[in-house]
Amino acid sequence: MSVSYVDFKTVDPNDYDALIVGSGFAGSVVARELAERGQKRVLILEKRPHIGGNMYDEYDEAGILVHRYGPHIFHTNDEGVYRYLERFTEWSDYSHHVLADWYGTYMPVPFNKNSMEIAFGKERAAELIDKLIETFGDERKVTINELRAQEDPDLSEIADFVYRNVFLYYTQKQWGLTPEEVDPSVTARVPVFISRDNRYFQDAYQGMPREGYTKLFENMLEHPLIDVCLHVEAESVFDLEFEDDTEDASLQAILLKGQEFEGPIVYTGPLDELFLARFGRLPYRSLDFVYETYDTEHKLPCGTVNYTVTEDYTRITEFKYLTEQVSPKTTIMKEYSRAYDDPDRQIPYYAIINAENEAHYERYRSLIDDLDNFYPLGRLAEYRYYNMDRIVRLALDLADTILAPDEGTNEA
Ligand code: FAD
Ligand code: UDP
């Protein structure tokens, strides 16, 4: 069996019980659950020429498996999510390592005891590490904001160093903002770690799908009750019916091919796109990726190098570390962060979290308050900074919610 791709022109909405927009983890997990547990006939509309959302990977011309929408490393503390995905892939036990290129010297990121020795020399680092342990405890994580709030001169010395050499320039490149201007939850993703553990993530479960993400998604969407239409943009095929003609009028129904779709509609794209940006575009950051292939086994010392003090790109990833692929060639990818100002050519990758943008999002969100069969889900539709594992968990929960009335009836 393989994924069932259908041409939108031939689709009859009456053949489906549920409609899903987007085939990333949000859309694909819900699709699988509704089909398998709920015996629902599911139609997925996906605007890209492939499934898998941002996790999509493929072999490049040199035969190297590369990620097309940013490097994706799976990590979670949610054992249920890890085991659930094991139904669709085997995991490798890869742990991601990141080094900061500090004027040509490599330092582990998150900044840790080993980084301190490189930055301050062994002797001074030992004193500073003692101070960190005394203040926060050993094997603890401290955000850069917490560290900067300390008045002790030794702690200020560490905070200043890390702020200037790890966070400031990288954050400016990534967000067009200083670390003070981004939401604290963003820099908190990469705390200072009072440890010798050089891994980027400390989650209990980490790894990469052995045959790649695209294969994982193919396995997930291979189901007799799931059809996928590629190259279909929801807003071009949905007719939206509103309460009245005012700008803030709530959505009453979604029509597909001239008839109201009454089953669940799970929408995982950006909400502003669905409403044709009637309140203006939601702000996002986009990315450009530049690939380079070399006739050498490895180009970098580890999976990712972050350029925290030099270069225009933020980081370089060498996929072979992530995928454990063996080849005499290698492909690396440089990431350039950009303002998102051309929806026709750019992809919205990162929601820019702040109070103003959240209020802007809520205005869109309030348009769907009255539509009981419409479920926004995922990084785009919820305008959040979610990792993959969180999305899988939310998708499983949403499938439970959608199936609850049926399952309730069955039990009764
Ligand atoms: P997506 O994967 O974005 O899927 C949405 C899908 O909907 C896409 O296929 C899109 O084409 C489709 N779509 C959108 N709008 C429409 C429309 N109007 N009509 C039809 N189809 C539409 N997470 C981790 O856990 N580990 C990592 O290492 C990691 N690295 C990342 C690196 C980068 C550069 C980025 C940007 C994100 C990273 N993430 C990582 C986060 C991860 O990408 C998200 O958690 C995940 O993609 C969320 O899945 P999703 O289904 O919500 O969205
Ligand atoms: N960050 C930084 N320097 C680094 C790594 C991260 O300044 O070397 C900051 C930056 O603001 C970044 C945020 O921490 O956007 C979160 O980093 P993460 O690696 O989690 O970003 P992602 O992989 O999601 O792009």
Side-chain angles (χ1 to χ4, degrees), residues 191-243:
V192 169
F193 190 19
I194 308 167
S195 174
R196 300 262 172 208
D197 182 347
N198 283 340
R199 295 172 306 163
Y200 202 55
F201 308 111
Q202 277 67 45
D203 302 51
Y205 303 92
Q206 318 195 15
M208 294 291 289
R210 268 211 199 280
E211 294 182 73
Y213 286 98
T214 301
K215 186 72 189 148
L216 183 166
F217 280 89
E218 283 169 356
N219 292 339
M220 192 179 277
L221 295 179
E222 262 177 26
H223 188 282
L225 295 180
I226 301 176
D227 286 337
V228 180
C229 283
L230 298 176
H231 304 285
V232 178
E233 224 172 32
E235 58 274 31
S236 333
V237 297
F238 281 179
D239 284 321
L240 306 186
E241 265 186 7
F242 294 94
E243 194 177 20

Side-chain angles (χ1 to χ4, degrees), residues 44 83 99 152 174 255 363:
I44 300 182
R83 299 282 172 229
L99 292 170
D152 176 276
Q174 174 70 7
L255 281 63
R363 196 165 172 212

Side-chain angles (χ1 to χ4, degrees), residues 16-137:
Y16 298 98
D17 305 305
L19 199 55
I20 302 218
V21 175
S23 62
F25 269 125
S28 298
V29 169
V30 180
R32 178 75 188 205
E33 290 302 285
L34 296 189
E36 191 166 75
R37 283 203 286 135
Q39 293 303 300
K40 304 222 179 280
R41 297 163 303 169
V42 180
L43 178 66
I44 300 182
L45 305 178
E46 167 57 61
K47 71 177 178 186
R48 292 183 187 164
H50 57 73
I51 57 170
N54 284 349
M55 283 57 69
Y56 177 72
D57 53 17
E58 64 179 356
Y59 289 89
D60 67 6
E61 281 180 4
I64 306 297
L65 184 61
V66 299
H67 297 183
R68 289 298 182 198
Y69 304 93
H72 280 74
I73 298 103
F74 191 83
H75 57 102
T76 190
N77 285 316
D78 186 334
E79 186 182 353
V81 162
Y82 186 79
R83 299 282 172 229
Y84 175 77
L85 294 177
E86 241 170 12
R87 297 183 48 204
F88 310 107
T89 187
E90 250 184 59
W91 292 112
S92 73
D93 59 4
Y94 175 73
S95 323
H96 196 44
H97 286 72
V98 177
L99 292 170
D101 181 312
W102 178 51
Y103 304 108
T105 299
Y106 289 127
M107 281 186 318
V109 181
F111 193 85
N112 63 17
K113 291 179 185 173
N114 298 326
S115 323
M116 301 239 321
E117 289 179 355
I118 295 164
F120 298 104
K122 271 205 165 171
E123 228 169 89
R124 179 72 185 130
E127 291 162 11
L128 295 174
I129 291 168
D130 283 348
K131 183 60 77 70
L132 279 172
I133 295 173
E134 210 176 280
T135 314
F136 301 104

Side-chain angles (χ1 to χ4, degrees), residues 71 73 94-99 298 300-306 315-323 331-333:
I73 298 103
Y94 175 73
S95 323
H96 196 44
H97 286 72
V98 177
L99 292 170
H298 279 295
L300 299 183
C302 62
T304 297
V305 173
N306 285 0
R315 58 187 175 190
I316 306 184
T317 295
E318 181 169 355
F319 295 105
K320 277 173 61 187
Y321 284 102
L322 279 53
T323 57
T331 299
I332 62 165
M333 186 186 72

